[in-house]
Amino acid sequence: MILTVTLNTALDITYRVPALRPHASHRVSEVTERPGGKGLNVARVLAALGHRATVTGFAGGRTGDALRESLAGCPDVVDALIPVAGATRRTIAVVDAATGDTTQLNEPGPLIAPAEWSAFQRTYEELLGSAAAVALCGSLPPGVPVGAYAGLVRTARAHRVPVLLDTSGEPLRRGVAARPDLVKPNAEELAELTGSHEPGQATRDARRRGAHTVVASLGAKGLLAVSAEGRWRAVPPSGLRGNPTGAGDSAVAGLLSALVERLPWPERLARATALSAATVLSPAAGEFDREVYEDLLTRVTVTPEATTAA
């Protein structure tokens, strides 16, 4: 079982409009709704790849009920979410059909009480007992300590469970210091963490801060991985346009599944890059077509890069 943690779950709603114009009314041509939050997206992709996944985090209110009802329809995804008094947030993605661009609106999430946070920590430690790997994903809802991910990384390491961290800002900075096995920032998050806008330098700096391996998402330029074993760059086919929502989460699922399967790094990165690209091309945020993914997998280029001391 692979465990994914989403402390700030969401009900993802995607609107498609012919063209998005400021200060105008719009007729929505298509609406999709699904359980969301980074770790839930990761779990759905893991299930599609044939891995059993368990999701934990928080869910509450009518939105939380709708999220859990929808999650019940996801095969091979086990719901271990902690009920809370506050209402789960919604995220709204508006896709402009004319350009393919997406506008995202994210609510902040419910206020988590101390007793609810303690209940989550107990459940998390119990679930680690049967986990092959764990992903800690996304933002922190109000009320959760800013150092929460650092503590969860240390707990996973104490249980000898490989841990991937995918967050941003101060939670990322503190979490990296707890020495996770893998962090997966995007270029902006990596620059904020290290102060460097040069990906090669920034990934090395992130390793010095505590991460064993850094895989940086560079958008259309693919993934850059830096570990004790070496450095690689994975590049998708050029000219891909679509909705990037959930693409990074698909990359996380690719990395986690390949880790559990003990694939070599070039194959891990090829899988993660192809899944990310297939998600961009999907009409619904955070999903992918299997045939599109398999085609892209044959066209991803993975090359080693010169190693610089970290």
Side-chain angles (χ1 to χ4, degrees):
M1 178 269 286
I2 299 176
L3 177 63
T4 72
V5 172
T6 312
L7 297 177
N8 210 3
T9 58
L11 188 66
D12 286 347
I13 302 168
T14 302
Y15 296 135
R16 293 184 67 85
V17 298
L20 182 61
R21 301 184 307 278
H23 316 299
S25 296
H26 296 78
R27 186 174 296 279
V28 176
S29 59
E30 182 182 351
V31 180
T32 58
E33 185 176 293
R34 60 171 180 70
K38 294 178 74 65
L40 271 67
N41 296 340
V42 171
R44 280 201 310 275
V45 176
L46 286 169
L49 294 171
H51 290 268
R52 190 167 66 91
T54 296
V55 298
T56 190
F58 300 110
R62 292 182 179 178
T63 311
D65 291 341
L67 181 150
R68 299 186 83 163
E69 289 174 10
S70 182
L71 191 62
C74 299
D76 296 322
V77 176
V78 176
D79 177 355
L81 295 169
I82 306 300
V84 294
T88 294
R89 66 190 178 128
R90 296 163 298 178
T91 66
I92 311 296
V94 183
V95 180
D96 185 325
T99 65
D101 294 334
T102 301
T103 299
Q104 192 82 17
L105 304 173
N106 297 329
E107 296 179 356
L111 176 64
I112 304 302
E116 294 166 340
W117 174 237
S118 296
F120 165 79
Q121 290 176 291
R122 290 192 296 270
T123 297
Y124 174 70
E125 190 156 4
E126 291 170 3
L127 291 170
L128 285 174
S130 56
V134 57
L136 309 175
C137 302
S139 61
L140 301 179
V144 172
V146 70
Y149 281 137
L152 298 180
V153 168
R154 286 191 287 267
T155 301
R157 289 179 57 79
H159 283 75
R160 299 184 184 277
V161 177
V163 55
L164 181 153
L165 177 62
D166 184 15
T167 187
S168 60
E170 186 65 11
L172 175 60
R173 189 184 70 80
R174 297 196 186 194
V176 164
R179 302 187 63 78
D181 296 275
L182 175 62
V183 294
K184 195 216 66 66
N186 60 33
E188 181 180 345
E189 293 161 350
L190 188 61
E192 184 181 5
L193 173 67
T194 65
S196 174
H197 290 272
E198 198 288 303
Q201 180 64 48
T203 49
R204 292 192 294 272
D205 287 350
R207 287 200 68 224
R208 292 190 188 98
R209 291 169 183 264
H212 289 272
T213 298
V214 180
V215 178
S217 294
L218 305 178
K221 296 181 179 179
L223 299 177
L224 173 63
V226 180
S227 76
E229 301 171 55
R231 296 167 52 87
W232 298 268
R233 186 181 292 270
V235 180
S238 61
L240 302 180
R241 295 189 63 184
N243 183 358
T245 305
D249 305 329
S250 292
V252 168
L255 292 169
L256 272 180
S257 61
L259 181 154
V260 170
E261 295 170 28
R262 300 181 183 276
L263 297 182
W265 269 108
E267 292 182 37
R268 295 187 197 187
L269 294 173
R271 175 182 292 183
T273 302
L275 283 169
S276 180
T279 302
V280 169
L281 295 176
S282 173
E287 298 181 1
F288 74 97
D289 181 276
R290 184 80 189 202
E291 290 186 5
V292 172
Y293 157 65
E294 291 176 352
D295 173 66
L296 288 167
L297 186 59
T298 66
R299 298 193 285 138
V300 170
T301 302
V302 182
T303 56
E305 295 201 335
T307 301
T308 303

